[in-house]
Amino acid sequence: MKPLIPLLFLSIFPTILQAQRPINVLWVVLDDLRTELGCYGVEGVISPNIDRFAAKAMLFENAYAQYPVCNPSRASFLTGLRPEEVGVLSNKLPLRRVQPDIVTAPQLFRQNGYYTIGIGKIFHLSVDEPTRGRVLFEDPKSWNFFLDRIPNVTPLGKKGEGRNLTGGALKWAHWRAAEGGDADQADGQNADALIEKLEEVHEEPFFIGYGIHKPHDPFVAPKEYFDLYPKDTIKLEQEPSDRSELEPGAIPNRKTFSEFTDAERIEFKRAYQACVTFADAQLGKVFDAMDRLELWDSTMVIVMSDHGYHLGQKGWWNKVTLFETGSRVPFIFWHPLAPGMGSSTDSLVELVDIYPTLVELAGLRAPHRFSGKSLLGVLADPNVEVKDAAYSQVKRGAYSGLSVRSARWRYTEWGEDGKRGVELYDHSKDPEEHYNLARNPEYASVRERMKDLLDRGFSR
């Protein structure tokens, strides 16, 4: 971490921002991407473009999603409100069904004269139940222009070696090393479309939401990306035999995954990593276009994911958990004038903080009360802390799981007052969350403090 930024520079940073408006926004959201990147210290994964971006920007080591599922997470960070405040707690309910008048982040920029472009998945492609299953694509209030090539995989891109890893039990658990190249896949076509729009609008203020579908299942990418990961190089998760038993609500039914062989586990992780590298390559093309168009000095860039993902941790191969693996996300922020660029920060942040940060950096007026906090101070100095806790939640049918992460501890309750399970993990000694200390009398005072912190973050 770099030394403290001089206080004089911190004091004039907001003034410098005021003099530079308007500034463009490129907000990149990768779907289901955990911190499976070289810049986060993961060996073996190939992510050169995101790694280079992280080296010049600010990398957040401790960023957390508010809900480890696509639609609730996106509805939260695009409105600056927590999931229970938005009222979106599943993948089935579109944002506009419950919040028809809420002003989203791209909508606010559009109202303030920015040309707003949506490419790929930003909002969730929700199924609107009251309209009997009609799929709703993105939000017309937010975008001047929207495009997603997701249905347009070419016939060649649908061919190639692959299989369902569960014999069809889980239709999504499918991989394919596809024939053809990037342009035969939707993400490749979306990258090309985004570059075309950049060339068209780069001389006017723009706000771009760029959603990359991978590494979300099905795990399909051109074969060249699979070839980068020989099967004999894939390392599987090794967990201690004395780890604590899982609480009843901690993970959904693991029966299908418990039947995985090591060969299937290797195939799964290999396919996920191949899709990470494929997604990284698409972002690299966009970054090359920004180089060519000389946009770095006039554009804020965010690269992030909507939630974390398990690759065998706790025997789980999916999302929807409140463990560190499920709630922690990659989050990297570039601002051309922020003095903290080129640093990493341990400051606790939440995805709900992004909208208020963009509003302050662009000098706009907030359209409603935000539940997140601006990260301007952290962007100026990586040693600044803006909050002492990050909150995440998930529903399990009739009951919920609520979790709070402090700098050292994670505390989680399942059901009302933890009647379906309580978890407490010490990240200073147990970063993988193997040993639940919630029932250990030596940690009773810590549990009480963390419960108070949890209750502070959720109205129940």
Side-chain angles (χ1 to χ4, degrees):
M1 184 176 292
K2 287 187 175 180
L4 285 170
I5 306 299
L7 293 178
L8 177 61
F9 203 90
L10 285 179
S11 67
I12 65 173
F13 180 39
T15 304
I16 294 174
L17 294 177
Q18 294 282 336
Q20 294 295 321
R21 291 190 207 98
I23 186 167
N24 305 315
V25 179
L26 172 60
W27 190 349
V28 183
V29 183
L30 293 99
D31 204 351
D32 281 16
L33 176 65
R34 57 189 252 149
T35 53
E36 194 76 4
L37 298 164
C39 55
Y40 279 94
V42 178
E43 296 181 0
V45 71
I46 301 168
S47 51
N49 298 293
I50 296 177
D51 295 348
R52 280 197 298 271
F53 173 67
K56 70 180 287 183
M58 178 173 283
L59 182 145
F60 288 77
E61 293 282 2
N62 297 303
Y64 295 91
Q66 277 47 81
Y67 202 110
V69 178
C70 301
N71 190 34
S73 177
R74 291 163 186 261
S76 173
F77 65 68
L78 287 164
T79 60
L81 300 173
R82 299 191 183 278
E84 73 276 11
E85 295 173 321
V86 180
V88 175
L89 298 171
S90 77
N91 271 349
K92 295 182 179 180
L93 190 63
L95 173 64
R96 289 300 181 192
R97 177 62 57 181
V98 293
Q99 296 287 353
D101 300 319
I102 197 79
V103 178
T104 68
Q107 183 181 356
L108 178 67
F109 278 77
R110 186 181 185 186
Q111 291 173 351
N112 283 273
Y114 284 71
Y115 188 80
T116 59
I117 299 169
I119 300 284
K121 179 181 175 182
I122 305 299
F123 294 84
H124 187 71
L125 305 184
S126 302
V127 175
D128 190 359
E129 291 175 318
T131 61
R132 299 182 181 180
R134 179 171 59 88
V135 176
L136 297 182
F137 288 85
E138 292 296 339
D139 178 35
K141 292 184 179 182
S142 294
W143 310 116
N144 292 103
F145 174 88
F146 175 75
L147 175 70
D148 190 357
R149 297 293 191 185
I150 188 63
N152 294 343
V153 177
T154 70
L156 185 62
K158 295 177 181 179
K159 298 178 180 179
E161 178 190 4
R163 70 182 183 113
N164 186 291
L165 293 167
T166 65
L170 300 173
K171 295 187 183 301
W172 60 264
H174 176 84
W175 67 268
R176 181 169 66 249
E179 296 182 17
D182 293 3
D184 292 292
Q185 300 297 325
D187 276 332
Q189 296 170 31
N190 284 340
D192 293 342
L194 175 52
I195 293 166
E196 183 178 329
K197 291 301 290 186
L198 268 177
E199 292 171 343
E200 177 185 323
V201 306
H202 71 275
E203 292 183 353
E204 61 182 294
F206 63 76
F207 180 110
I208 296 176
Y210 175 36
I212 302 178
H213 288 277
K214 298 306 169 190
H216 194 289
D217 64 80
F219 307 113
V220 178
K223 181 179 180 296
E224 63 182 283
Y225 297 100
F226 281 79
D227 290 343
L228 296 171
Y229 296 94
K231 290 182 181 179
D232 59 3
T233 66
I234 303 299
K235 296 180 180 179
L236 296 176
E237 183 74 15
Q238 300 295 325
E239 297 190 322
S241 58
D242 64 341
R243 66 186 183 274
S244 300
E245 291 293 323
L246 295 176
E247 294 298 292
I251 287 183
N253 189 340
R254 293 180 294 163
K255 182 178 184 303
T256 300
F257 297 136
S258 69
E259 297 172 356
F260 269 4
T261 64
D262 276 353
E264 287 164 336
R265 295 183 183 98
I266 287 171
E267 285 183 55
F268 195 118
K269 186 171 182 179
R270 178 189 184 223
Y272 182 94
Q273 291 184 328
C275 288
V276 170
T277 303
F278 171 54
D280 177 84
Q282 308 321 301
L283 190 52
K285 297 173 190 176
V286 175
F287 286 165
D288 288 345
M290 290 189 63
D291 291 340
R292 185 175 66 256
L293 297 171
E294 299 181 344
L295 287 171
W296 289 104
D297 290 341
S298 59
T299 307
M300 290 186 279
V301 182
I302 299 169
V303 174
M304 56 171 279
S305 174
D306 49 0
H307 49 71
Y309 203 88
H310 285 243
L311 291 176
Q313 294 79 14
K314 312 293 187 293
W316 187 242
W317 296 80
N318 206 334
K319 46 202 170 191
V320 206
T321 83
L322 294 177
F323 289 109
E324 188 82 354
T325 309
S327 57
R328 181 175 175 237
V329 296
F331 176 46
I332 309 166
F333 201 116
W334 162 258
H335 191 292
L337 298 175
M341 297 299 96
S343 302
S344 65
T345 177
D346 293 326
S347 183
L348 274 176
V349 300
E350 303 173 284
L351 296 187
V352 77
D353 299 328
I354 298 173
Y355 192 171
T357 303
L358 292 176
V359 166
E360 182 169 16
L361 288 171
L364 304 182
R365 188 173 184 176
H368 51 259
R369 178 197 60 80
F370 293 131
S371 294
K373 295 183 177 181
S374 170
L375 303 178
L376 186 147
V378 187
L379 294 170
D381 182 348
N383 297 290
V384 167
E385 296 180 357
V386 296
K387 55 181 55 177
D388 59 1
Y391 296 91
S392 304
Q393 65 187 105
V394 72
K395 283 190 68 68
R396 296 269 190 266
Y399 66 96
S400 295
L402 305 176
S403 188
V404 60
R405 176 73 156 86
S406 70
R408 177 173 176 178
W409 305 93
R410 175 176 296 283
Y411 177 76
T412 304
E413 289 185 352
W414 295 98
E416 185 178 356
D417 290 324
K419 291 179 180 178
R420 291 179 177 266
V422 179
E423 300 171 71
L424 176 67
Y425 301 102
D426 183 354
H427 272 258
S428 71
K429 301 175 181 177
D430 180 25
E432 303 298 325
E433 299 179 339
H434 293 310
Y435 303 104
N436 184 2
L437 305 173
R439 293 180 179 82
N440 187 326
E442 294 181 21
Y443 295 90
S445 62
V446 176
R447 172 173 168 169
E448 184 177 346
R449 290 199 309 271
M450 292 302 294
K451 178 173 176 53
D452 288 343
L453 195 59
L454 184 82
D455 291 342
R456 192 180 80 191
F458 293 100
S459 56
R460 294 186 287 180

